[in-house]
Amino acid sequence: QVQLVESGGGLVQAGGSLRLSCVASGLTFSRYTMGWFRQAPGKEREFVAAIRWNVGTTFYAGSVKGRFTISRDNAQNTIYLQMNTLKPEDTAVYYCAASKTGTGNYDYWGQGTQVTVSS
């Protein structure tokens, strides 16, 4: 059974930082492209960042590029999202996801962790 468990969310002031973690189990983690998504109240879920399984190529949404950094530790079956210079519009539930094909279709999702940025 595949499980993705996020942690690290919380309340932070604008301009602050948070680091999210996502621990995966039940899959060959090193062979999966991993991504972070977020969903704000009343909005659709949106892509935030992804990191490929092989060479570690990273991708970012324009709204977070330069402020967020995605990374992975295959030995720990964990991905991270370092979020700096947070803005109120970053407030959302953040989800990690795993993709076997790396084509943008994600096979497994976590339950999410809440990030709230106060102004």
Side-chain angles (χ1 to χ4, degrees):
Q1 182 181 358
V2 175
Q3 282 192 313
L4 303 177
V5 181
E6 303 96 334
S7 62
L11 173 63
V12 64
Q13 287 189 328
S17 299
L18 281 175
R19 189 175 83 153
L20 306 183
S21 301
C22 172
V23 179
S25 60
L27 50 70
T28 306
F29 179 79
S30 60
R31 294 298 184 97
Y32 279 75
T33 290
M34 300 297 295
W36 287 100
F37 292 76
R38 67 186 181 187
Q39 187 167 21
K43 294 188 177 181
E44 292 191 353
R45 185 171 59 197
E46 64 175 358
F47 169 78
V48 175
I51 184 166
R52 288 204 184 277
W53 67 272
N54 46 5
V55 295
T57 305
T58 56
F59 306 89
Y60 295 95
S63 59
V64 307
K65 199 167 187 178
R67 299 188 298 123
F68 291 10
T69 302
I70 187 172
S71 60
R72 65 189 297 158
D73 182 342
N74 287 342
Q76 299 294 325
N77 284 12
T78 302
I79 62 166
Y80 303 97
L81 186 68
Q82 178 67 43
M83 305 186 294
N84 298 328
T85 319
L86 283 160
K87 305 175 182 180
E89 50 264 44
D90 294 318
T91 295
V93 177
Y94 283 71
Y95 300 90
C96 74
S99 171
K100 178 63 175 173
T101 61
T103 60
N105 295 316
Y106 285 80
D107 306 287
Y108 305 104
W109 295 83
Q111 294 299 306
T113 185
Q114 176 70 47
V115 172
T116 303
V117 184
S118 63
S119 57

